[in-house]
Amino acid sequence: MARITMREAISQALWEEMERDPSVFILGEEVGVWGGTYAVTKGFYDHFGPERVRDTPIAEAAIIGGAIGAALTGTRPVAELMTINFAFSAMDHIVNEAAKLHYMFGGQFVLPMVIRAVGGGGRQLGATHSQTPDAVFAHFPGLKVVAPGTPEDAKGLLKAAIRSNDPVLFIEHATLYQVRGEVPEGDYVIPLGKSKVQRPGKDVTIITYSKMLELSTKAADQLAKEGIEAEIVDLRSLRPLDMGPVLESFKKTNRAVIVEEGWRSYGVGSEVAARIYEEAFDYVDAPIQRVAQKEVPLPYNRTLEQMALPQIEDIVKAVKEVL
Amino acid sequence: MKKEEHLELYYQMVLIRLVEEQAAQLYQQGKIGGFLHLYIGQEAVSTGLISARQPQDRVITAYRDHGVAINCGLSAREVVAELLGKVTGSSKGKGGSMHMADVNKNFWGGHAIVGAHLPIAAGLALGDQYQKNDGVTICMFGDGATNIGYFHEALNLSKVWNLPVLWVCENNQYGMGTAVERASAVSEIRQKAEGYSIPSSRVDGMDVLAVRKASEEAIAYVRSGKGPYFLEIVTYRFRGHSMGDPERYRKAEEVRQWQENDPIGIYRRYLVDHAIATESELNEVDQRANETTLDAVQFAESSPEPPAEMLFQHIYVDAD
């Protein structure tokens, strides 16, 4: 096992898949000469060349539409959106085309493509550049939505996404790139659509993913000092959503807190809570709690921004609420 | 061109006309749901254009796609069956009028969001360029699509990357009910290509042979590796935008004048006047097209509905 950052893990996955399969190529804003706005593709342009590491105009519909067309011809494009907020400029191509073409033409169209997008708040980028709209994309059948919370998962899931024959939106959290974690040596793939228990416990189930896994883990550390053992289930994929480990854990603890960075209304927590009530109602010992972003456009001011984002104390408080 | 080729072009145009007329009737009988956009009046455009392509050339178009499908080699049976939502349709009944395709015939749809298929066309061309195929992507769209952002992003990208794509604007004078000059800053659409340094030409879309010749030249240009080319084909749709069109935006006299310029009539006269075919030979072709159309309707009406389990098929390629 090597201890590397999330950025290195994602970069390794891309590099190894490009070495393995010549049909894989990258396109996006500043992925080439610049080396990626988050430095994920640093060194790629010099090694793989301009045909396989393609700098695009700042034109998101052309990036995603172009990736769709190229995927239809049998290549495996990895399109990078500098931030997920820019995905709205390509919304039609993501949800109206990529998510629907295979179904709408009776299975004829196959789109082996990945959209990498950087999301999340906490860096004082203001309301338009700080969103966590993961649930919006997870709403659409036909799209797969993945959002890893650890370097190990990021590498294995991105490899699976690139090898997948379906369009996958791969959401990377901007403040996780520097986070380090153990990553297995060599080639490994983690199947899409599988939740995972990241921390065992018996008193309460915390269901979360992406950046909020980090905060939930810190909250669980605090709770452990008070003798409360929280089990953390990491969704990893939002669509398909794997409720298996969630329900298994909940049937053991009978108490749940769902933690997400996006807004509470119509969010991931709403969906997971509803499914627990639908599928494990007899096991409910306390109303399920949701921790999420305050319902405001994220402000620039650091203090206000942090007030709007979920904090470790919010998670601790919510856990005590359900106990 | 050999006589057989002429007769084949004529046959395709007549077949499209007859299939569309049957479709209008089926729609009025309530057998076709949703929207129905007829190609009547525009037959020479896709017939001339697609007759100029090689098998490795991809075709992608907008929602007025029944005629394009037939020109690409889809049978009238699978076109009408798709209109009726039957499992024997080209998209197994899941796409409908606006979403026909057959990837084995290099026909890539049938796209219903105005302009959205242009970036996809750029991507198809990118895929061919990346894999060093010598195919040309032929992307058809209406005049209305040239006012949306996708058009400009796609044209720009095609030039920047020198993609093997032929942009074909079917200028039928109206984006739904809004005349070109009321919606577009320039009414000669090909001028828009000049802004991207893409060479262009403009051709009479009621003359199938003129369309074919212009298309051959344009496709040859793109195949030679010089990058994208823009072809504006001026045409007119004889029917409304869709079946629900009140047609308050144009005068009956204008429609009548264009109908005198019927592309099938023009071509028929040409073939007779140039002693390429006799009236009776052309009548035989008409008869054959009519039989094919009636057979297609019979086939579609007697085809089964998609089975219920198909509802959940084709959401993903990789099963969970």
Side-chain angles (χ1 to χ4, degrees), chain A residues 102-109, chain B residues 78 81-96 99-101 304-307 310-311 313-314:
Chain A
H102 182 63
Y103 189 89
M104 197 165 63
F105 292 102
Q108 294 186 70
F109 286 30
Chain B
E78 53 193 328
E82 188 61 35
L83 291 174
L84 266 54
K86 297 300 181 71
V87 71
T88 50
S90 57
S91 298
K92 299 187 168 67
K94 288 175 138 179
H99 305 115
M100 297 189 182
E305 295 280 318
M310 198 178 277
L311 179 64
Q313 281 173 5
H314 310 126

Side-chain angles (χ1 to χ4, degrees), chain A residues 99-287:
Chain A
K100 295 184 172 50
L101 294 181
H102 182 63
Y103 189 89
M104 197 165 63
F105 292 102
Q108 294 186 70
F109 286 30
V110 178
L111 297 81
M113 61 182 283
V114 178
I115 302 167
R116 286 183 48 236
V118 183
R123 296 182 314 133
Q124 287 194 270
L125 291 173
T128 62
H129 279 56
S130 304
Q131 296 170 97
T132 310
D134 311 351
V136 172
F137 295 95
H139 191 60
F140 291 89
L143 199 63
K144 291 185 173 176
V145 178
V146 179
T150 69
E152 177 181 358
D153 286 345
K155 183 171 179 182
L157 287 167
L158 182 53
K159 283 181 165 240
I162 291 170
R163 296 181 196 185
S164 161
N165 293 304
D166 296 302
V168 180
L169 176 64
F170 191 88
I171 304 172
E172 300 163 18
H173 199 286
T175 67
L176 283 181
Y177 281 125
Q178 304 283 17
V179 169
R180 285 182 184 275
E182 300 285 335
V183 171
E185 304 285 351
D187 185 39
Y188 69 96
V189 171
I190 296 174
L192 306 180
K194 296 286 172 204
S195 302
K196 181 189 179 188
V197 175
Q198 297 279 17
R199 176 191 183 113
K202 62 175 176 48
D203 298 324
V204 59
T205 303
I206 298 176
I207 302 126
T208 190
Y209 72 98
S210 185
K211 170 74 175 179
M212 292 301 115
L213 173 62
E214 187 186 38
L215 269 67
S216 298
T217 303
K218 286 176 180 165
D221 288 344
Q222 280 190 24
L223 290 162
K225 288 174 193 156
E226 301 175 37
I228 300 164
E229 292 178 33
E231 180 152 288
I232 300 178
V233 182
D234 180 0
L235 297 174
R236 303 197 293 188
S237 293
L238 300 182
R239 184 180 277 272
L241 179 61
D242 175 21
M243 285 297 291
V246 175
L247 294 170
E248 199 178 313
S249 176
F250 185 76
K251 286 177 181 175
K252 184 173 67 181
T253 65
N254 312 108
R255 296 156 203 281
V257 172
I258 307 158
V259 187
E260 66 185 307
E261 186 179 307
W263 292 297
R264 180 194 309 261
S265 301
Y266 312 100
V268 173
S270 315
E271 178 63 28
V272 172
R275 294 219 200 172
I276 294 172
Y277 285 129
E278 285 164 357
E279 294 167 45
F281 186 73
D282 291 346
Y283 295 85
V284 177
D285 279 359

